[in-house]
Amino acid sequence: MTHKNIPRTSSIDRRTVLGLLSGSLAALAGCSGGLSDSSDGGDGSAGPPEEQSDYIEETSIEIVENGRQLALEVAVTDEIEPSSVSIITESGREFASDYFSPGETRTRLSLTEGEDSYEPLPRGQHTLYLRGDDVETKLPLELDTTFELEEVVPGTEHEEVRDDSLGVVVRNVGQRTGAATQTILNGERDSEPFEPIEPGETGIVEFTFLLKDRAHCVKVEETTVREEKLAVGFLWSDPVTITQSIKYTDRFDSTGNGCKRTLAGEPEEVTTTPTKTETETEG
């Protein structure tokens, strides 16, 4: 599988996912050479690397131009001469790597891989590995959180959702920021939203045109109710999967064609099998 580094040019149209690393990257003992780092242990309770490392000034996760790729931007102090930085997965695989040019103090690493699939760096306790003149330090890159269903709303009741679509509101109940990455309707990919959601906050994703009156309708006598299976996929979290009943009725109350769609009843959340980390999958 090809590993693709994100270009480090100011022309990339991107949105910074604020706070995505807050509480996600913690310092781990692992420095060597002539310089010392302020890392003080690997208990997972330390703050982001810029608070724990003498070498790191800033870290952020960004969405790049096509909206389906992520990049980790790392800025280091100009008091050192960095040579390279890598992301090593918890299984020991190098996921992405880049070199600093002379005088450079900022670089960007891909957090997705694959020419077309854009698979994200999997959940788990990974490592950010920085090297340079008299510098070698390792920082944990922990990616894991949990989302829960809040409510299901028709687009007519929510300004961020189209009138003929369905919105699913989810809450991040974990300790780290994550993002909704795709919606799946009855096993088929419906759309590819990217909705960053910080801990304790909610976000809404859209199932497009689910409530749209259709030209191709189901045959009904008066009403027909069908259960639709809706799933919201996330970065670094198990999906939220629900069943929602949709009522089909005659558009003109005379043709026997169920073209008009409305919600029927409350959604029911489906328990899903927890997603394994990379190490658990390989083991």
Side-chain angles (χ1 to χ4, degrees):
M1 184 171 288
T2 302
H3 297 273
K4 196 176 200 178
N5 286 337
I6 303 298
R8 303 189 309 277
T9 65
S10 59
S11 63
I12 292 179
D13 180 17
R14 61 189 186 272
R15 296 172 292 148
T16 302
V17 184
L18 298 176
L20 192 54
L21 292 185
S22 179
S24 298
L25 303 181
L28 178 68
C31 59
S32 62
L35 298 181
S36 63
D37 209 336
S38 59
S39 304
D40 60 358
D43 61 359
S45 61
E50 54 264 38
E51 296 180 3
Q52 300 296 323
S53 171
D54 291 335
Y55 314 140
I56 306 293
E57 285 195 337
E58 181 186 9
T59 54
S60 64
I61 291 180
E62 299 179 345
I63 308 168
V64 297
E65 55 189 4
N66 63 7
R68 295 179 60 197
Q69 290 177 278
L70 295 175
L72 173 68
E73 186 164 290
V74 181
V76 302
T77 175
D78 58 9
E79 297 178 358
I80 66 172
E81 295 184 15
S83 59
S84 66
V85 62
S86 303
I87 295 174
I88 309 299
T89 70
E90 63 178 4
S91 66
R93 177 172 66 96
E94 184 178 90
F95 188 88
S97 183
D98 201 9
Y99 290 89
F100 292 87
S101 298
E104 252 186 350
T105 58
R106 186 179 294 269
T107 191
R108 190 177 292 135
L109 299 173
S110 176
L111 288 178
T112 54
E113 63 181 355
E115 293 292 338
D116 300 310
S117 59
Y118 304 121
E119 291 296 325
L121 178 64
R123 296 166 72 173
Q125 181 75 41
H126 310 300
T127 300
L128 184 67
Y129 183 23
L130 175 66
R131 297 171 293 276
D133 290 353
D134 297 321
V135 172
E136 184 176 358
T137 188
K138 296 179 180 180
L139 306 162
L141 173 61
E142 186 175 354
L143 302 174
D144 194 9
T145 191
T146 302
F147 283 89
E148 291 182 353
L149 173 69
E150 278 280 298
E151 62 177 334
V152 174
V153 293
T156 52
E157 299 178 9
H158 200 288
E159 61 182 7
E160 295 181 24
V161 179
R162 283 170 284 200
D163 286 351
D164 53 10
S165 297
L166 185 68
V168 175
V169 180
V170 291
R171 179 177 294 275
N172 185 348
V173 297
Q175 300 300 311
R176 297 175 175 84
T177 300
T181 57
Q182 65 180 11
T183 56
I184 301 172
L185 174 61
N186 297 326
E188 298 292 332
R189 180 172 293 183
D190 179 63
S191 63
E192 296 175 346
F194 201 103
E195 175 72 19
I197 306 170
E198 297 185 15
E201 299 296 327
T202 61
I204 188 164
V205 295
E206 181 176 342
F207 285 81
T208 54
F209 309 124
L210 184 60
L211 300 179
K212 180 179 177 63
D213 293 349
R214 302 297 178 93
H216 301 288
C217 313
V218 296
K219 286 292 183 180
V220 298
E221 294 181 359
E222 292 184 0
T223 62
T224 294
V225 176
R226 290 186 174 182
E227 278 196 347
E228 310 279 6
K229 186 176 182 180
L230 315 177
V232 182
F234 302 93
L235 291 175
W236 313 312
S237 172
D238 293 330
V240 166
T241 303
I242 63 175
T243 57
Q244 173 65 58
S245 297
I246 305 294
K247 181 170 65 175
Y248 295 75
T249 57
D250 273 359
R251 185 162 44 187
F252 303 110
D253 298 323
S254 61
T255 64
N257 292 324
C259 299
K260 185 174 180 60
R261 299 180 175 195
T262 55
L263 295 184
E266 296 297 320
E268 182 177 343
E269 191 160 4
V270 178
T271 302
T272 59
T273 302
T275 302
K276 294 182 178 181
T277 65
E278 184 183 54
T279 298
E280 291 171 334
T281 300
E282 293 180 357

